[in-house]
Amino acid sequence: VTYRINVENLGPAVATNIEVTDYLPDNFEYVQSAVDPNVAQTTYTAGPQAPLGGTLSLYWTPGQSLGVGSVVNWDVTGYARCN
């Protein structure tokens, strides 16, 4: 499964020090993520049922910003596990 989170700055000013958090469902096994354009880095924190669930955070690289009207695409890939 791959899903996309769009991060958009609706203004009125340039955004800095951006952090986005995605709480993964308990049946989701995280594999990888990609950011386009590459202005941020991701961190995965395993949940109590590792490798399922957990938290995925997107942190803007220091010095990077998101201009008004700009969009960053965050694609997350993993497996949806059924019991």
Side-chain angles (χ1 to χ4, degrees):
V1 173
T2 298
Y3 63 92
R4 174 172 281 177
I5 298 172
N6 296 314
V7 181
E8 182 177 6
N9 182 356
L10 298 176
V14 171
T16 59
N17 300 318
I18 303 164
E19 179 182 337
V20 179
T21 301
D22 184 21
Y23 298 97
L24 303 174
D26 289 340
N27 69 332
F28 188 82
E29 182 178 345
Y30 171 73
V31 174
Q32 67 180 12
S33 64
V35 180
D36 181 35
N38 190 17
V39 294
Q41 54 192 334
T42 58
T43 302
Y44 170 69
T45 304
Q49 299 175 353
L52 301 177
T55 304
L56 191 59
S57 298
L58 179 70
Y59 300 95
W60 252 243
T61 306
Q64 295 288 341
S65 61
L66 187 60
V68 175
S70 296
V71 176
V72 170
N73 300 311
W74 184 19
D75 294 327
V76 179
T77 302
Y79 298 103
R81 302 293 184 188
C82 298
N83 293 335

